Amino acid sequence: MTAPRRRTTPSAVAGLPPGRRRRRRAAVLAGVAAGALALAVAGPAQAANDVVAPGTELYVDPHSSTVEAAAGLTGQARADALLLASVPTATWLTAGTPAEVQAAAADLVGDAALQGEVPTLVAYNLPFRDCAQYSAGGATSVAEYTAWVDALAAGIGDGAAVVVLEPDGLGIIPHYTPAGASEPEWCRPAEADPATAAADRFVMLNHAVDVLTVLPRTAVYLDGTHTGWLGVGDITDRLIQAGVERADGFFLNASNYQETPRLQKYAAWVAQCIDLSVSTWWEPAWCASQYYPATPSDFSTWGLTDDAYAQAYADTGRTPDPATMKHAVIDTSRNGQGPWTPPAGVYPDPEDWCNPPDRGLGLRPTTDTGDPYVDAFVWIKVPGESDGQCFRGLGGPLDPVRGMVDPPAGGWFPEQARELIALAVPPIAAPTCEVSYTVHGSWPGGFIAQVWVKNTGTTRIDGWDLEWTFGGDQTIREIWGADATQVGQRVTATSESWNTVIKPNRRTTFGFLGRGDPAQGLPPLQITLNGAPCTVP
């Protein structure tokens, strides 16, 4: 069944978000693989899914594109960006030479390993990605792509990582004719060879699966689309052709808005359809879906599809065991309010995927899903970044839904960020602390800084840990008014006995003497108090 197109809009280019301040390269992995990394991944020779076992800490990137956006904002827009930056979110690798993507991946994985955390990387560089639409770009040939993904794998190395492999990679295939169809789907770019484009897509994805799954601590997920798009049998057939049997599973809802309970049902059905199709005489085309026997718009009927799978297992004589099946990761970055329903008859092309109004953040990223078919809820799409300039079929330049010109794809969208936070389900707590960080003086190789911590909440703080990440190679030489520990670039300042309590609307302070150049990313923007983000004026 053909469903509406869904486009992705990464902000990262040339392999890294603009201005990313990285100082380490692949060599860092050798030093941390046996040490800090063990905090996140237990023991050698584990199955890749252990990378996202319950309790795994997902990485919060202190140099993310969201932090970059916050640096150029003020007031509420800045506070919103910093709040979103405090949540683990994927990093998109979208371009660059093999050397550049290898270095970018190594830096990200190495930095995360130092903190005992696991990053989520999005590989998004296939030729004709997004069918050359809003997020056009990517490699120009099979050879160029395979070299790029080989370098990505080399950059990850022995580090722990979750790889979301090519959003839209299976949902939008150039010149692809689905099983049982008589003609190719809508994506028919003139530059692609109709005779080889679809086969090339599967060749590239299979190669990516092979080079990434051989890594000892990398979990790899292929495009599983979502509940408003492909039926279960269609996506299962595509996943099998792409090598899902050798991957950890599939990802759902990338950059989209479908409700989590529906996606969990869909995840189970796709997992079961794969299992039946590769382990018995069953065919993907026979798999029940959200479209039949269920009614897609009536969630109360989806139990009929559950029953159909129970019957399929009975017919094949196979016992379903989720532990042996392929699992899903689900993007919950913008699905708190579910998908937008455009008003009927108003817009020639409503573009319901493109910066829809009044959406909210969904579940926070976690590997504690309580669902045997779902390894993690993750934020694949960077919430707050625009999907592109949306005209709704009316020619633009204004988005008629919003009465404004939307930012280009990947640009920061303050109005949308505010909506996502205000309408989040579950609600996201507003910051209850404010931190002022001032460099009072500097000299070659050193500086002195003072930090003020204010309680802007309604209850007193009794004991605190303030955490931030330096933007360069700075280290703390001496500190007063707090105790400090530093791992890599990340610093934790802990209260002393005399300033452990901060009453509402009161503040405390500490200072330190630092080594390094304060011009490198100081003052830091992403600061947390007892794990919760603070406002940084």
Side-chain angles (χ1 to χ4, degrees), residues 153-250:
I156 295 172
D158 292 339
V162 174
V163 176
V164 171
L165 185 57
E166 299 296 343
D168 292 338
L170 292 175
I172 303 176
I173 304 174
H175 296 285
Y176 178 68
T177 302
S182 58
E183 62 179 31
E185 294 180 326
W186 62 271
C187 178
R188 306 175 191 180
E191 301 85 356
D193 185 344
T196 61
D200 286 348
R201 174 63 56 89
F202 289 113
V203 166
M204 289 181 283
L205 289 173
N206 273 276
H207 178 83
V209 167
D210 286 338
V211 300
L212 290 166
T213 56
V214 75
L215 303 177
R217 294 186 174 97
T218 297
V220 181
Y221 299 87
L222 285 158
D223 178 27
T225 71
H226 59 69
T227 53
W229 198 347
L230 297 183
V232 172
D234 189 356
I235 191 57
T236 294
D237 183 58
R238 300 180 193 210
L239 283 164
I240 291 172
Q241 291 184 73
V244 74
E245 294 172 71
R246 305 185 307 283
D248 296 274
F250 47 92

Side-chain angles (χ1 to χ4, degrees), residues 80 145 286 325 337 454 520:
D80 288 344
Y145 181 77
W286 303 338
M325 295 184 196
Q337 297 288 338
K454 182 177 181 180
Q520 293 181 338

